Amino acid sequence: MNQVGHLRIDEQRFREDFACLCRDGATPEDGLNRPALSDAHLTARQTFRDMILERGFDLRQDGAGNLSALHCPSSDLQPTLLLGSHLDSVPHGGRYDGTLGVASAFEVAQVLREVSPDTPVEVIDFTDEEGTWVSLLGSRAMSGQLTPKDLERPRGNLDAFHRALQRSGLTIDGILSSTRHSKEFLGYLEVHIEQGTRLECHQTDIGIVTGMVGIHMYLVTFHGEANHAGTTPMNERHDAALGASEFCLKVHQTVKSDFPDCMATVGQMDFSPGAFNIIAGKVTAFMEIRSEDSEQAKDLENALREQAEIVARTYWLNLDFDHLESVIPQKMDARIARSIESSCHRLELSYQTLPSLAGHDAQSMALLCPSGLIFIPSSGGFSHSSREYTPWEACINGANVLLHSAIQFMDSVIMKNRHATELNRSS
Amino acid sequence: MNQVGHLRIDEQRFREDFACLCRDGATPEDGLNRPALSDAHLTARQTFRDMILERGFDLRQDGAGNLSALHCPSSDLQPTLLLGSHLDSVPHGGRYDGTLGVASAFEVAQVLREVSPDTPVEVIDFTDEEGTWVSLLGSRAMSGQLTPKDLERPRGNLDAFHRALQRSGLTIDGILSSTRHSKEFLGYLEVHIEQGTRLECHQTDIGIVTGMVGIHMYLVTFHGEANHAGTTPMNERHDAALGASEFCLKVHQTVKSDFPDCMATVGQMDFSPGAFNIIAGKVTAFMEIRSEDSEQAKDLENALREQAEIVARTYWLNLDFDHLESVIPQKMDARIARSIESSCHRLELSYQTLPSLAGHDAQSMALLCPSGLIFIPSSGGFSHSSREYTPWEACINGANVLLHSAIQFMDSVIMKNRHATELNRSS
């Protein structure tokens, strides 16, 4: 144990592997541009494939494209410890979101293989965590939460999605049949940057995530009348741009004034036809709402729907307020949280518990097996941006906490089983 | 003269030719989708080419792609009467904007060739009147107003513009060298739908255009900080979407309250990176201002620039307020206006004089030769939309007024020349 207590990851190898996994799709601003199933993303997966085989792990890819490195010591079906994250990024995102988690998991798996060769370990890179097409596609497919309907309404458009699947050698049937069984897994652990400023503000080394917020996505479309921008009197216009613009402001104001515990964002607007000299006939706002509390999220949705209706009436527009997709809130496993906590004590790192305001694959896995999420600080809270940054020491802390949390968790499972056996014997 | 007074266009031929020119790029909603140099636009030009040759006119295409039907009775260089409009449309536009003007000019040229075979006539289809790439490209090139700089900043992007030129067999040098000399032309006449409701409201058959408004185009870009939509606190955001949205509303309000004689429109916004889960780091608003009075247009530009600066400060954003392009206001020729007026008397049609709130090739041609523009009513004022409509009787009126205005104008020129000759003789 004392020996185990001094166990650390191989910093040099970790740094080199992370750099290698950040190579494909790198941007001039030191970010990553690897939307799921893009050429850059597929190249990054090939790079990871090569690393897996080169390090003597078995390779596995399921029907959803989830890519795994396997250490299977024996043929008998012991439950596997699953570690991972994702290699895809948002358009022009950062280096740390997902990729650091995969590099950490891969490093920890190599250490575990040495110190505990009998334990089956799987390192997984989930497909489309960021939802370029369908958010958490890979982990939701694996945990059996993905329905055919989810795959019929991808973001972007359906044809582009099908072309991307084909380019990646994937199929709808393959995705839907890639569900795995909870018996296969001991538990799931992930390390990820916080993507906020809470840890940095409190100067805390490690965040122990209690659960994830729910994420609800909407397409809010204002229908006006495309008309000549020079000859249509200002007071006779049905200008969809005015409705969408006022709605965008209302979304921000409503959350700030009445829903302090929620987030809401309009991150994109599509104008049609979209020209200097044509009044916008149709504008679609891409909106998302986030909250830990499903009730509050619903109340906010209703408040914003009402605002949108008022705005539409004000500007003589018609309204479509479509709920596109939701990711339900999810609690993390308490026993894994305790393992993370004691590993922080062991490594003498400060920690705090906190909810995750972003979605993560761990929330899908939580429906399949005990799951836990470890946060490390994000400098300035920059995220989904090339300005994303975490000091290297913090990255090392995250990987070491992942290593010791995994060990502590496996120990606690062994203890529990031994206890169960004794109970059986004594009865 | 009495015989000439009873002269009319061939309604049957006119109707068939118009239908034929509306075929390519027709939309299910009975509109036209023929952005300049698109496949549909190039096909429409091929259709017109076939019509020109089939009717025994000579064919001419200049370096800017302007396509002409020529009736050149003799080799000696008499000035030519130029009639025309454009076959290109805005994205998903209507059937009447431009195409009706080309069909009317082509019909009138066929009648003139019969009744006055000695008069050289040219029917022209100008390139990119709508400014898919560079507004009034063809007519500005022909009248020598186009600079290399204008062609270096096309709408859309430069690569796409160059690809479109190549696909159309055009070159930058060709465009810049397609200038023609004022001596070549007697004058230019065009018939066009009003694209507004003034004629319809006054139940007037014909509008005699006194001049065109100036059009000024701007790219107004708000620079914020792309960041995670779930983890960035609402009150710590630098959200470019909020700045662009408030600016879009301010544009509308400022014109309505302080600039009743101007128009201003935000017809398009580009979001970057543009996703549900990323706060917009950069939003560009495509804005245009229209006014008959250059002073007022400048005052409005300054007022909106000030508004944009205030908005940027309010939301912690940076601002680029770029003037992209301007089309200067232009008066039409008084003698041609009188010819249109007397042709309305001759045809017993009601008329009114009015400025054009839209840009037209006639304003470029006015710098080259005496030019005139004839308006016919637009039902409901719908324009740059598939709902664009003008009753067929009004289209026939327009073509007949074009015919008689041309004759009256040519007569007035002959009278003037004879008068000049007599003056010389008597001196």
Side-chain angles (χ1 to χ4, degrees):
Chain A
M1 155 62 208
N2 199 26
Q3 198 185 345
V4 173
H6 290 87
L7 195 64
R8 298 291 184 273
I9 58 146
D10 180 331
E11 296 183 12
Q12 179 66 15
R13 179 176 59 188
F14 178 38
R15 178 168 218 134
E16 285 165 8
D17 289 352
F18 178 53
C20 184
L21 290 172
C22 287
R23 202 182 47 212
D24 307 303
T27 64
E29 305 77 28
D30 269 335
L32 285 181
N33 188 23
R34 294 204 295 228
L37 311 186
S38 66
D39 291 346
H41 177 234
L42 297 178
T43 313
R45 285 192 141 178
Q46 187 52 53
T47 301
F48 187 41
R49 246 186 231 95
D50 298 342
M51 286 170 67
I52 290 169
L53 297 173
E54 173 205 311
R55 303 294 167 86
F57 285 93
D58 295 343
L59 190 67
R60 171 183 179 140
Q61 182 168 330
D62 68 13
N66 297 315
L67 180 63
S68 300
L70 303 179
H71 169 61
C72 320
S74 66
S75 55
D76 62 350
L77 292 171
Q78 262 182 289
T80 302
L81 176 70
L82 188 66
L83 309 172
S85 194
H86 58 96
L87 290 176
D88 69 298
S89 82
V90 296
H92 295 278
R95 295 158 56 94
Y96 298 84
D97 182 344
T99 300
L100 181 70
V102 172
S104 306
F106 191 57
E107 170 57 30
V108 167
Q110 292 175 83
V111 177
L112 287 176
R113 186 173 54 173
E114 295 160 23
V115 297
S116 156
D118 301 340
T119 316
V121 178
E122 176 173 352
V123 176
I124 190 161
D125 156 34
F126 289 109
T127 299
D128 200 14
E129 191 268 355
E130 296 292 1
T132 295
W133 307 103
V134 177
S135 63
L136 306 180
L137 185 150
S139 56
R140 284 166 68 201
M142 195 162 149
S143 56
Q145 300 166 72
L146 216 54
T147 66
K149 192 169 154 301
D150 294 325
L151 298 176
E152 286 160 11
R153 298 182 61 185
R155 300 184 194 163
N157 76 59
L158 191 59
D159 291 350
F161 179 49
H162 286 164
R163 281 196 300 278
L165 290 178
Q166 195 168 28
R167 205 171 52 238
S168 320
L170 302 177
T171 65
I172 297 294
D173 293 347
I175 294 170
L176 292 172
S177 61
S178 58
T179 308
R180 289 172 74 176
H181 196 287
S182 57
K183 281 212 187 73
E184 295 179 51
F185 303 106
L186 200 65
Y188 173 71
L189 268 161
E190 176 172 1
V191 61
H192 203 284
I193 56 170
E194 180 200 343
Q195 307 174 280
T197 54
R198 291 167 296 175
L199 293 177
E200 189 179 55
C201 291
H202 299 97
Q203 298 182 303
T204 313
D205 298 317
I206 296 295
I208 303 173
V209 176
T210 52
M212 276 76 159
V213 292
I215 308 176
H216 312 276
M217 279 148 272
Y218 305 84
L219 290 176
V220 182
T221 303
F222 293 89
H223 300 271
E225 215 161 63
N227 213 337
H228 193 293
T231 59
T232 314
M234 299 298 287
N235 54 8
E236 289 177 22
R237 300 179 170 204
H238 301 256
D239 187 343
L242 300 176
S245 295
E246 184 152 328
F247 178 68
C248 177
L249 296 172
K250 293 283 185 201
V251 168
H252 193 74
Q253 291 158 5
T254 305
V255 174
K256 274 171 80 174
S257 57
D258 307 340
F259 293 85
D261 299 334
C262 297
M263 297 278 190
T265 306
V266 173
Q268 162 75 342
M269 287 191 204
D270 270 356
F271 278 58
S272 168
F276 278 92
N277 54 354
I278 315 179
I279 295 161
K282 181 178 132 189
V283 178
T284 299
F286 294 48
M287 177 181 76
E288 64 153 52
I289 290 175
R290 296 184 185 225
S291 173
E292 279 186 87
D293 176 343
S294 300
E295 282 305 308
Q296 273 194 34
K298 192 67 192 167
D299 293 346
L300 177 53
E301 174 189 324
N302 292 333
L304 293 179
R305 188 188 300 270
E306 196 177 309
Q307 292 283 8
E309 285 162 357
I310 294 167
V311 166
R313 278 197 298 278
T314 308
Y315 293 100
W316 310 338
L317 306 170
N318 294 318
L319 174 71
D320 287 327
F321 195 105
D322 296 335
H323 173 253
L324 186 66
E325 184 187 348
S326 277
V327 180
I328 55 169
Q330 185 62 52
K331 295 257 165 273
M332 294 290 97
D333 180 74
R335 191 140 50 92
I336 290 190
R338 284 194 299 276
S339 306
I340 300 170
E341 186 175 351
S342 55
S343 75
C344 290
H345 284 294
R346 184 185 275 178
L347 294 161
E348 293 170 342
L349 295 170
S350 61
Y351 64 88
Q352 70 183 84
T353 59
L354 75 186
S356 169
L357 301 171
H360 292 287
D361 293 307
Q363 74 200 63
S364 315
M365 299 314 294
L367 295 166
L368 198 58
C369 62
S371 299
L373 182 59
I374 298 158
F375 273 172
I376 56 174
S378 302
S379 300
F382 296 117
S383 174
H384 285 184
S385 147
S386 59
R387 300 179 66 180
E388 200 173 80
Y389 176 71
T390 294
W392 185 240
E393 302 64 35
C395 299
I396 293 170
N397 289 341
N400 278 320
V401 169
L402 180 64
L403 170 64
H404 283 278
S405 304
I407 292 170
Q408 300 261 2
F409 175 60
M410 291 189 288
D411 290 347
S412 71
V413 173
I414 293 160
M415 298 290 280
K416 181 172 158 239
N417 296 347
R418 187 178 303 151
H419 184 62
T421 325
E422 282 162 357
L423 278 178
N424 295 340
R425 197 179 297 122
S426 62
S427 61
Chain B
M1 152 65 206
N2 200 25
Q3 198 185 348
V4 173
H6 291 85
L7 195 64
R8 297 290 183 273
I9 59 143
D10 180 332
E11 296 182 12
Q12 178 66 16
R13 179 176 60 188
F14 179 38
R15 177 167 221 136
E16 286 164 8
D17 289 351
F18 178 53
C20 182
L21 291 172
C22 287
R23 202 181 49 212
D24 308 302
T27 64
E29 306 78 28
D30 269 335
L32 286 180
N33 188 22
R34 294 204 295 228
L37 309 186
S38 65
D39 291 346
H41 177 234
L42 297 177
T43 314
R45 286 192 141 177
Q46 187 51 54
T47 301
F48 187 41
R49 245 186 230 96
D50 298 342
M51 286 170 66
I52 290 170
L53 297 173
E54 172 205 311
R55 303 293 166 87
F57 285 91
D58 296 343
L59 191 67
R60 171 182 178 140
Q61 181 167 328
D62 68 14
N66 298 314
L67 180 62
S68 300
L70 304 178
H71 168 61
C72 321
S74 66
S75 56
D76 62 351
L77 292 171
Q78 279 186 78
T80 302
L81 176 70
L82 188 65
L83 311 172
S85 195
H86 59 96
L87 291 177
D88 69 298
S89 82
V90 295
H92 295 279
R95 294 157 58 92
Y96 298 86
D97 183 343
T99 301
L100 182 70
V102 172
S104 306
F106 191 58
E107 171 56 31
V108 167
Q110 291 174 85
V111 177
L112 286 176
R113 186 173 54 173
E114 294 159 25
V115 298
S116 155
D118 301 340
T119 315
V121 178
E122 176 173 351
V123 176
I124 190 161
D125 155 33
F126 289 108
T127 299
D128 199 14
E129 191 268 355
E130 297 292 1
T132 295
W133 306 103
V134 178
S135 63
L136 306 180
L137 185 151
S139 54
R140 284 165 69 200
M142 195 162 149
S143 55
Q145 300 167 70
L146 216 54
T147 67
K149 191 167 154 301
D150 295 323
L151 299 175
E152 286 161 11
R153 299 183 61 185
R155 298 182 196 165
N157 74 60
L158 192 59
D159 290 348
F161 179 49
H162 285 164
R163 281 197 300 278
L165 291 178
Q166 195 168 29
R167 207 172 50 238
S168 320
L170 302 177
T171 65
I172 297 294
D173 292 347
I175 294 170
L176 293 172
S177 61
S178 59
T179 309
R180 289 172 73 177
H181 197 287
S182 58
K183 282 211 185 75
E184 296 180 50
F185 302 106
L186 200 65
Y188 173 71
L189 269 160
E190 176 172 0
V191 60
H192 203 284
I193 56 171
E194 181 200 342
Q195 306 173 280
T197 55
R198 292 167 295 176
L199 294 177
E200 190 179 53
C201 292
H202 299 97
Q203 297 181 304
T204 312
D205 299 317
I206 296 294
I208 304 172
V209 176
T210 53
M212 276 76 158
V213 292
I215 307 176
H216 312 276
M217 279 149 274
Y218 306 83
L219 290 176
V220 183
T221 302
F222 293 89
H223 301 270
E225 215 160 63
N227 213 337
H228 194 293
T231 60
T232 314
M234 298 300 287
N235 55 8
E236 287 178 23
R237 300 179 169 204
H238 301 254
D239 187 342
L242 299 176
S245 295
E246 184 152 329
F247 177 69
C248 178
L249 296 172
K250 294 284 186 200
V251 168
H252 193 73
Q253 291 157 4
T254 304
V255 174
K256 274 171 81 174
S257 58
D258 308 339
F259 293 85
D261 299 333
C262 297
M263 297 278 188
T265 306
V266 173
Q268 162 74 343
M269 288 192 204
D270 270 356
F271 279 57
S272 169
F276 277 93
N277 54 353
I278 315 179
I279 295 162
K282 181 177 130 186
V283 178
T284 299
F286 293 48
M287 177 181 76
E288 63 153 53
I289 291 175
R290 296 185 186 224
S291 171
E292 280 186 86
D293 177 341
S294 300
E295 283 304 309
Q296 273 194 34
K298 193 65 191 167
D299 293 347
L300 177 54
E301 173 188 322
N302 293 334
L304 294 179
R305 188 187 299 270
E306 197 176 310
Q307 293 283 6
E309 284 162 357
I310 293 166
V311 166
R313 277 197 298 277
T314 307
Y315 293 100
W316 309 340
L317 306 170
N318 294 319
L319 174 70
D320 287 327
F321 195 105
D322 295 336
H323 173 255
L324 187 64
E325 182 187 349
S326 278
V327 181
I328 53 168
Q330 186 61 53
K331 294 256 166 272
M332 293 291 94
D333 180 72
R335 189 139 54 89
I336 290 189
R338 284 196 298 276
S339 305
I340 301 169
E341 186 176 352
S342 56
S343 75
C344 290
H345 285 294
R346 184 185 274 179
L347 295 162
E348 293 170 341
L349 295 170
S350 60
Y351 65 88
Q352 70 184 83
T353 60
L354 75 188
S356 168
L357 300 171
H360 293 287
D361 293 309
Q363 75 200 62
S364 314
M365 297 315 293
L367 296 166
L368 198 59
C369 62
S371 299
L373 182 60
I374 299 158
F375 272 171
I376 56 176
S378 303
S379 300
F382 296 116
S383 174
H384 286 183
S385 147
S386 59
R387 299 179 65 181
E388 199 174 83
Y389 176 71
T390 294
W392 185 242
E393 303 63 38
C395 298
I396 292 170
N397 289 342
N400 278 320
V401 169
L402 179 65
L403 170 63
H404 283 279
S405 304
I407 292 171
Q408 299 261 2
F409 175 60
M410 289 189 292
D411 289 348
S412 71
V413 173
I414 292 160
M415 298 290 280
K416 181 173 159 235
N417 294 348
R418 186 178 302 152
H419 183 61
T421 325
E422 281 162 359
L423 278 178
N424 294 342
R425 198 181 295 123
S426 64
S427 63

